[in-house]
Tab-separated table of all heavy atoms in Angstrom:
chain	number	residue	atom	x	y	z
B	38	VAL	N	51.853	-28.865	-20.505
B	38	VAL	CA	50.399	-28.891	-20.522
B	38	VAL	C	49.868	-28.343	-21.902
B	38	VAL	O	48.989	-28.987	-22.541
B	38	VAL	CB	49.807	-27.984	-19.411
B	38	VAL	CG1	48.325	-27.892	-19.476
B	38	VAL	CG2	50.212	-28.572	-18.073
B	39	LEU	N	50.451	-27.254	-22.328
B	39	LEU	CA	50.053	-26.639	-23.583
B	39	LEU	C	50.280	-27.661	-24.791
B	39	LEU	O	49.377	-27.871	-25.627
B	39	LEU	CB	50.855	-25.388	-23.851
B	39	LEU	CG	50.639	-24.718	-25.201
B	39	LEU	CD1	49.170	-24.321	-25.384
B	39	LEU	CD2	51.529	-23.487	-25.303
B	40	GLN	N	51.413	-28.331	-24.778
B	40	GLN	CA	51.727	-29.282	-25.793
B	40	GLN	C	50.708	-30.452	-25.726
B	40	GLN	O	50.244	-30.937	-26.810
B	40	GLN	CB	53.162	-29.807	-25.709
B	40	GLN	CG	53.635	-30.605	-26.889
B	40	GLN	CD	53.479	-29.826	-28.180
B	40	GLN	OE1	53.928	-28.718	-28.271
B	40	GLN	NE2	52.864	-30.422	-29.177
B	41	GLY	N	50.335	-30.775	-24.418
B	41	GLY	CA	49.434	-31.907	-24.271
B	41	GLY	C	48.067	-31.556	-24.871
B	41	GLY	O	47.395	-32.400	-25.484
B	42	VAL	N	47.583	-30.293	-24.653
B	42	VAL	CA	46.281	-29.893	-25.234
B	42	VAL	C	46.367	-29.912	-26.762
B	42	VAL	O	45.424	-30.315	-27.400
B	42	VAL	CB	45.929	-28.497	-24.735
B	42	VAL	CG1	44.665	-28.038	-25.307
B	42	VAL	CG2	45.765	-28.533	-23.152
B	43	VAL	N	47.486	-29.377	-27.312
B	43	VAL	CA	47.551	-29.315	-28.789
B	43	VAL	C	47.590	-30.747	-29.379
B	43	VAL	O	46.861	-31.032	-30.300
B	43	VAL	CB	48.897	-28.606	-29.212
B	43	VAL	CG1	49.188	-28.718	-30.668
B	43	VAL	CG2	48.833	-27.112	-28.792
B	44	ASP	N	48.289	-31.660	-28.727
B	44	ASP	CA	48.304	-33.063	-29.189
B	44	ASP	C	46.921	-33.667	-29.011
B	44	ASP	O	46.435	-34.456	-29.992
B	44	ASP	CB	49.273	-33.875	-28.360
B	44	ASP	CG	50.723	-33.468	-28.584
B	44	ASP	OD1	50.953	-32.806	-29.643
B	44	ASP	OD2	51.602	-33.822	-27.841
B	45	MET	N	46.228	-33.356	-27.983
B	45	MET	CA	44.826	-33.877	-27.813
B	45	MET	C	43.954	-33.306	-28.919
B	45	MET	O	43.143	-34.102	-29.515
B	45	MET	CB	44.306	-33.425	-26.427
B	45	MET	CG	43.035	-34.051	-26.071
B	45	MET	SD	42.229	-33.308	-24.539
B	45	MET	CE	43.147	-34.201	-23.287
B	46	LYS	N	44.124	-32.005	-29.229
B	46	LYS	CA	43.311	-31.480	-30.328
B	46	LYS	C	43.551	-32.243	-31.647
B	46	LYS	O	42.574	-32.606	-32.356
B	46	LYS	CB	43.837	-30.039	-30.538
B	46	LYS	CG	43.149	-29.302	-31.697
B	46	LYS	CD	43.645	-27.943	-31.864
B	46	LYS	CE	45.047	-27.868	-32.475
B	46	LYS	NZ	45.487	-26.444	-32.714
B	47	ASN	N	44.771	-32.532	-31.975
B	47	ASN	CA	45.085	-33.295	-33.187
B	47	ASN	C	44.494	-34.687	-33.132
B	47	ASN	O	44.138	-35.258	-34.137
B	47	ASN	CB	46.575	-33.303	-33.428
B	47	ASN	CG	47.128	-31.920	-33.675
B	47	ASN	OD1	46.382	-31.046	-34.209
B	47	ASN	ND2	48.360	-31.677	-33.357
B	48	ALA	N	44.547	-35.264	-31.979
B	48	ALA	CA	44.109	-36.673	-31.816
B	48	ALA	C	42.616	-36.847	-32.044
B	48	ALA	O	42.135	-37.887	-32.410
B	48	ALA	CB	44.531	-37.260	-30.440
B	49	VAL	N	41.847	-35.801	-31.674
B	49	VAL	CA	40.365	-35.948	-31.630
B	49	VAL	C	39.746	-35.609	-32.916
B	49	VAL	O	38.562	-35.916	-33.144
B	49	VAL	CB	39.714	-35.241	-30.494
B	49	VAL	CG1	40.183	-35.739	-29.107
B	49	VAL	CG2	39.880	-33.753	-30.602
B	50	ILE	N	40.480	-34.937	-33.848
B	50	ILE	CA	39.816	-34.481	-35.046
B	50	ILE	C	39.268	-35.666	-35.838
B	50	ILE	O	40.019	-36.649	-36.148
B	50	ILE	CB	40.837	-33.738	-35.904
B	50	ILE	CG1	41.204	-32.411	-35.277
B	50	ILE	CG2	40.269	-33.437	-37.264
B	50	ILE	CD1	42.322	-31.647	-35.981
B	51	GLY	N	37.961	-35.621	-36.040
B	51	GLY	CA	37.319	-36.674	-36.827
B	51	GLY	C	37.247	-38.022	-36.170
B	51	GLY	O	36.988	-39.055	-36.776
B	52	ASN	N	37.561	-38.071	-34.855
B	52	ASN	CA	37.710	-39.440	-34.122
B	52	ASN	C	36.673	-39.427	-32.987
B	52	ASN	O	37.083	-39.032	-31.818
B	52	ASN	CB	39.088	-39.613	-33.688
B	52	ASN	CG	39.314	-41.024	-33.198
B	52	ASN	OD1	38.383	-41.689	-32.800
B	52	ASN	ND2	40.529	-41.497	-33.210
B	53	ASN	N	35.507	-39.815	-33.291
B	53	ASN	CA	34.488	-39.860	-32.218
B	53	ASN	C	34.765	-40.820	-31.046
B	53	ASN	O	34.434	-40.496	-29.888
B	53	ASN	CB	33.035	-40.250	-32.837
B	53	ASN	CG	32.387	-39.025	-33.452
B	53	ASN	OD1	32.874	-37.914	-33.334
B	53	ASN	ND2	31.291	-39.304	-34.141
B	54	LYS	N	35.389	-41.901	-31.417
B	54	LYS	CA	35.808	-42.831	-30.314
B	54	LYS	C	36.740	-42.219	-29.340
B	54	LYS	O	36.570	-42.316	-28.099
B	54	LYS	CB	36.509	-44.017	-31.074
B	54	LYS	CG	36.710	-45.240	-30.186
B	54	LYS	CD	35.496	-46.099	-30.119
B	54	LYS	CE	35.783	-47.188	-29.122
B	54	LYS	NZ	35.037	-48.287	-29.230
B	55	GLN	N	37.693	-41.495	-29.875
B	55	GLN	CA	38.744	-40.859	-29.053
B	55	GLN	C	38.036	-39.757	-28.215
B	55	GLN	O	38.310	-39.641	-27.016
B	55	GLN	CB	39.850	-40.269	-29.897
B	55	GLN	CG	41.000	-39.697	-29.208
B	55	GLN	CD	41.789	-40.766	-28.490
B	55	GLN	OE1	41.352	-41.168	-27.356
B	55	GLN	NE2	42.894	-41.160	-29.003
Side-chain angles (χ1 to χ4, degrees):
Chain B
V38 174
L39 175 59
Q40 192 55 51
V42 175
V43 170
D44 290 344
M45 188 186 279
K46 175 181 74 177
N47 295 330
V49 298
I50 292 173
N52 190 336
N53 277 353
K54 190 85 188 202
Q55 188 65 280

